[in-house]
Amino acid sequence: MSLLASRLDRIKPSPTIAVTQKARDLKARGRDVIGLGAGEPDFDTPDHIVEAAVRAMRDGKTRYTAVQGIPELREAIAGKFARDNDLDYPIDCITVGCGGKQVLYNAMVATLEPGDEVIIPAPYWVSYTDIVLLCGGQPVVVETASANGFRLDAESLEAAITPRTKWVMLNSPSNPTGAGYGHDDMKALTDVLMRHPHVWIMPDDMYEHIVYDGFRFVTPAQVEPGLKERTLTVNGVSKTYCMTGWRVGYAAGPKMLIDAMNKVQSQSSTHTSSISQHAAVAALNGPQDFIAEHNRVFRERRDLVVSMLNQAKGLATPVPEGAFYVYPSCTGLIGTSTPSGRRIETDEDVVTWILESEGVAVVQGAAFGKSPHFRVSYATSTDLLEQACQRIQRACAALS
């Protein structure tokens, strides 16, 4: 009898975490490596948020909290939804978890029966499909096209829905492409979903505030109020507030679903750190002006990376609307060879060559469900990005 459960055979370790760790390991061995695999801002957590955490510790707010999160935080989240999204939720329709990933996982554990289908547009964040598989569901991956801005269209969504469809997952702006759904794009999708009352929608809005060039963020229940009672709107403080390590994600939805997710969490992590929760209150209720400054820097970095990668042999890099990633096509490099004669056949071969030859760590498109591409995170210093892009240009030029 095997010790390990067979369900583990359905999933793989997170590729983005693996690439980040590989870069760390190479650096520890003395290799000059620039890591562009991590999906986290390089800015420090703002001081007023850190001070709120220190104050919470000094005030003895270090004990167990309610599973669903402290009332002050859920009130702050309710205020955020009202302020930013025109959505009204009582606090008993809000849950807090250890990052957005746990919130997604809790929802899938609470709702999926074996064989239930979850529609996931590709490219997708690496954990979506594996969370669905681990919870007994069946991912239904729907490819999107670069020509359509990597956005799911209404016709493709309609064609993917079956009687077994339980959820549609939607990430805007997207990890890994940075693609965003404007009002008209979102309305086309919500119109389809209104015709299929058995389908629930799970928008992952983690990059809501990291947007550029006048792009206006919308979330499905805001565009179509008729979907609110079958929508779980997921968000968190990780990206906007530079709090990835604090592990605070949250969601709002119908009380029946939130109660079920809280039941799952009560038997796993119980709750996220009491200190992190008090810090998150300060994040959501405190000054927001730094977000625009961060976005200004991110936009400058985006423009630099897009320009430099588009000058690299064999790469074509679209301009994203948000987040802090670009997703270049490396179709022009497939079929080439390294100076030693090794043939480049996949995007994994491309990223391996870039790491081996020039010491730049990026993530292959296969990890996100769409090849041949790779993801570059530009959430690092401008100087390092310029160096990294020069190295990528050299790596691509060396292939023939």
Side-chain angles (χ1 to χ4, degrees):
M1 180 183 295
S2 171
L3 171 65
L4 300 181
S6 61
R7 72 176 69 91
L8 291 180
D9 296 337
R10 308 184 76 191
I11 66 170
K12 56 190 179 300
S14 167
T16 52
I17 293 174
V19 166
T20 302
Q21 188 58 49
K22 186 173 185 179
R24 287 194 193 107
D25 292 344
L26 288 169
K27 284 182 182 178
R29 296 203 296 267
R31 180 80 190 274
D32 176 18
V33 173
I34 300 175
L36 303 181
E40 62 178 347
D42 59 315
F43 303 112
D44 290 335
T45 306
D47 287 345
H48 69 280
I49 300 173
V50 174
E51 287 305 314
V54 172
R55 194 161 54 248
M57 288 186 282
R58 287 178 173 156
D59 291 347
K61 295 175 179 176
T62 55
R63 300 184 183 277
Y64 291 134
T65 77
V67 169
Q68 62 268 45
I70 59 175
E72 303 98 305
L73 178 51
R74 287 180 289 133
E75 291 281 5
I77 293 165
K80 171 261 176 295
F81 278 121
R83 177 179 71 237
D84 296 342
N85 311 114
D86 300 317
L87 293 173
D88 178 30
Y89 287 104
I91 68 169
D92 61 356
C93 290
I94 292 170
T95 185
V96 178
C98 299
K101 185 180 286 188
Q102 187 187 25
V103 172
L104 296 170
Y105 183 82
N106 288 349
M108 291 301 172
V109 169
T111 61
L112 289 183
E113 299 286 0
D116 282 349
E117 295 174 354
V118 179
I119 294 173
I120 301 173
Y124 48 73
W125 180 48
V126 295
S127 292
Y128 290 155
T129 52
D130 281 5
I131 288 173
V132 170
L133 289 167
L134 194 58
C135 296
Q138 180 59 50
V140 175
V141 174
V142 181
E143 279 213 27
T144 63
S146 175
N148 192 40
F150 293 116
R151 285 182 287 269
L152 178 67
D153 60 56
E155 294 77 14
S156 299
L157 174 59
E158 184 79 60
I161 292 173
T162 76
R164 296 303 305 267
T165 305
K166 179 70 68 78
W167 287 99
V168 175
M169 301 184 79
L170 202 63
N171 182 205
S172 172
S174 159
N175 175 3
T177 67
Y181 291 78
H183 183 278
D184 291 348
D185 299 314
M186 191 67 78
K187 185 66 166 62
L189 299 181
T190 60
D191 284 351
V192 172
L193 291 166
M194 287 297 290
R195 296 196 292 271
H196 297 277
H198 70 290
V199 179
W200 286 62
I201 184 165
M202 188 183 300
D204 176 353
D205 296 346
M206 196 64 69
Y207 297 90
E208 169 183 5
H209 291 296
I210 306 175
V211 295
Y212 316 112
D213 306 329
F215 177 82
R216 298 196 62 176
F217 172 86
V218 292
T219 196
Q222 175 185 16
V223 170
E224 177 47 78
L227 285 175
K228 186 180 176 188
E229 288 307 306
R230 49 190 172 101
T231 299
L232 181 72
T233 303
V234 180
N235 210 315
V237 299
S238 295
K239 315 297 182 178
T240 300
Y241 299 98
C242 311
M243 295 176 67
T244 52
W246 298 74
R247 308 313 299 138
V248 181
Y250 57 82
K255 186 175 184 300
M256 168 270 297
L257 174 59
I258 296 298
D259 287 347
M261 293 168 62
N262 290 336
K263 182 189 289 188
V264 172
Q265 186 159 291
S266 75
Q267 296 294 357
S268 58
S269 64
T270 306
H271 62 79
T272 195
S273 160
S274 60
I275 300 156
S276 295
Q277 291 187 58
H278 285 282
V281 173
L284 293 171
N285 289 345
Q288 309 288 303
D289 54 323
F290 64 91
I291 298 172
E293 175 57 22
H294 288 180
N295 283 0
R296 182 190 65 78
V297 175
F298 280 142
R299 185 178 65 250
E300 290 175 356
R301 294 173 178 176
R302 178 203 66 177
D303 293 344
L304 170 72
V305 170
V306 168
S307 174
M308 293 188 72
L309 292 184
N310 277 333
Q311 296 171 51
K313 170 186 170 183
L315 301 185
T317 308
V319 181
E321 288 90 1
F324 37 70
Y325 311 104
V326 295
Y327 199 63
S329 166
C330 53
T331 301
L333 300 178
I334 303 302
T336 62
S337 297
T338 69
S340 67
R342 190 169 79 228
R343 187 172 171 82
I344 300 294
E345 297 183 342
T346 66
D347 49 26
E348 188 166 4
D349 293 339
V350 172
V351 303
T352 299
W353 167 247
I354 291 171
L355 181 59
E356 289 178 351
S357 64
E358 293 290 345
V360 179
V362 296
V363 187
Q364 65 273 17
F368 305 99
K370 189 168 181 64
S371 297
H373 294 261
F374 58 86
R375 190 192 77 172
V376 173
S377 168
Y378 51 87
T380 192
S381 77
T382 303
D383 287 345
L384 279 179
L385 286 171
E386 191 164 5
Q387 291 180 47
C389 289
Q390 289 170 348
R391 294 184 187 191
I392 292 172
Q393 288 175 346
R394 287 199 301 266
C396 293
L399 298 172
S400 60

